[in-house]
Amino acid sequence: GEGYFTYDPGFVSTASCESKITYIDGGKGVLLHRGYPIEQLAEESDFLEACFLLLYGELPTKEEKEKFTTNVRRHTMVNDQMSTFFKGFRRDAHPMAIMCGVVGALSAFYHDSLDISDENHREISAIRLMAKMPTLAAMTYKYTIGQPFMYPRNDLTYSENFLYMMFGNPCEEYKVNPILAKAMDTIFLLHADHEQNASTSTVRLAGSTGANPFACISAGIAALWGPSHGGANEAVLEMLNEIGDESRVDECVARAKDKNDPFRLMGFGHRVYKNFDPRARVMKKVADEVLGELGIDDPLLKIATRLEKIALEDDYFIEKKLYPNVDFYSGIILKALGIPTSMFTVIFALGRTPGWIAHWNEMHKDNSRIGRPRQLYTGPAQRDFVPLDKR
Ligand code: SDX
């Protein structure tokens, strides 16, 4: 890099690529997007501004922000034929299964006219994905509850529009709740990018073959779905419901330490952070604010707070350097926004979309070669074929 960050040679040899987008110091719990701390972006910025920063490398001027916002708004509708894809799914299909399908299907509408070596084509793909992902996510939710799809509204902000498409209906006027919209926007922002996590690495690897961006983002959605990754936010709510009461927290912490017990504290631990995930701190603050402003007394927040306290004082978690991660509190906020648990990882995918696209675009700008991870072979040495009658 520009000499601000130095890496020990051992780390450099394990790095899969170079990138200018996001910096993480797992030991210190530092997360920077193009050099800006996540805490400042969460406090001072908004999701579309953070998207611009990730995609173009700088915070937008007033004019740039207005132009970017208008461009995104102009592409929020999807081709009406897209709605037929939903009809093939069962109503009780997991929303992430539907999102993998319908986002990949966007390839069928844009692939032929796309030259990914052309920066302008890559930019319009980024704008289209930023614009259409919330529309497809809301359509996914509406399909699973048997309500009509809501068309996007260009008089609303990005997050207001998403909540409108999720919870509005044609029979009554929708009232924007600025508290909910701001909380939604902050959740999107906190998920916007996170360096070479599993789903972003999936998008980069798929993109390195020259695959179109819509198919690459669909691959990222599939990777994110796993409970060890983005699926953890859904698993945290299930875990908190399973704990059920503050009095059972100690028992569950003991189970999480028992190697013979498959129970793990979902929302705890991280491949990189061996300190507090800075996003978890902001998420906890937003959870307290939103539930306070909405006057919600959610027992799950009390269980989560006690779980965090007990775990952070426990020698096992201290020794293993296990701290709450981004997924630990997000579900409590999403529940307060009225979003069903099954949609939690879809929300993560919406937030991560700018990060996936920024990395996909950076790889093409750097003319990266096709990704081809190598392995250590531990199978049998060469041997001759044995005919069937001799086996
Ligand atoms: C995300 O990579 C990213 O950046 C991801 C992400 C992003 O923004 O893209 O940050 C989003 O995916 C966050 C992580 C969400 N997943 C969960 O919350 C699921 C629960 N966490 C674990 O499954 C686990 O911590 C992982 C998968 C996140 C990390 O896996 P590791 O690297 O195997 O775990 P670790 O290095 O943190 O574990 C060290 C030790 C291990 O024990 P030993 O083998 O050393 O004896 O701690 C144990 C683990 O078994 N451990 C846990 C635990 N997590 C790890 N024990 C109990 N409860 C847990 N949650």
Side-chain angles (χ1 to χ4, degrees), residues 17-165:
C17 65
E18 287 189 11
S19 174
K20 294 180 171 57
I21 300 171
T22 289
Y23 172 77
I24 299 174
D25 182 326
K28 297 189 185 120
V30 170
L31 171 57
L32 308 178
H33 289 322
R34 303 285 191 179
Y36 294 100
I38 188 66
E39 297 87 344
Q40 292 181 26
L41 290 170
E43 191 64 35
E44 312 281 341
S45 188
D46 62 38
F47 180 53
L48 269 196
E49 212 172 64
C51 295
F52 186 98
L53 173 66
L54 290 169
L55 290 172
Y56 299 103
E58 296 297 338
L59 287 168
T61 61
K62 195 169 178 302
E63 294 71 28
E64 286 170 331
K65 183 171 179 177
E66 279 166 12
K67 182 167 176 261
F68 183 67
T69 304
T70 305
N71 272 346
V72 170
R73 276 186 176 146
R74 276 220 194 95
H75 291 277
T76 48
M77 276 205 294
V78 294
N79 185 305
D80 237 25
Q81 283 180 259
M82 286 290 292
S83 54
T84 51
F85 289 121
F86 290 84
K87 294 191 176 65
F89 291 102
R90 288 171 36 150
R91 292 282 181 180
D92 63 353
H94 193 289
M96 285 295 276
I98 299 174
M99 285 295 282
C100 285
V102 295
V103 173
L106 285 172
S107 312
F109 292 86
Y110 303 111
H111 173 269
D112 298 343
S113 59
L114 191 57
D115 170 7
I116 53 175
S117 64
D118 180 332
E119 196 162 2
N120 297 321
H121 284 219
R122 292 203 302 271
E123 183 175 24
I124 185 59
S125 299
I127 298 275
R128 279 192 165 120
L129 278 159
M130 280 307 304
K132 297 182 194 305
M133 287 283 280
T135 307
L136 291 172
M139 289 169 80
T140 296
Y141 173 60
K142 286 300 196 187
Y143 179 74
T144 60
I145 60 171
Q147 281 193 8
F149 297 146
M150 300 298 285
Y151 283 104
R153 275 179 46 184
N154 290 346
D155 61 320
L156 300 177
T157 67
Y158 192 90
S159 296
E160 288 170 349
N161 179 42
F162 174 64
L163 292 175
Y164 164 72
M165 294 189 289

Side-chain angles (χ1 to χ4, degrees), residues 236-237 239-241 243-247 249 268 280-310 324 327-336:
V236 167
L237 253 286
M239 173 188 75
L240 294 174
N241 280 312
I243 293 173
D245 187 90
E246 285 180 75
S247 60
V249 167
F268 264 78
R281 286 189 201 281
V282 179
M283 209 66 95
K284 171 78 167 54
K285 187 165 160 282
V286 173
D288 288 337
E289 284 166 5
V290 169
L291 269 62
E293 282 161 347
L294 296 175
I296 297 174
D297 182 18
D298 188 343
L300 296 187
L301 180 58
K302 291 193 177 70
I303 295 171
T305 307
R306 178 161 169 72
L307 186 55
E308 176 189 343
K309 182 177 180 310
I310 300 289
D327 295 309
F328 189 62
Y329 284 107
S330 58
I332 289 166
I333 307 167
L334 293 173
K335 180 170 172 273

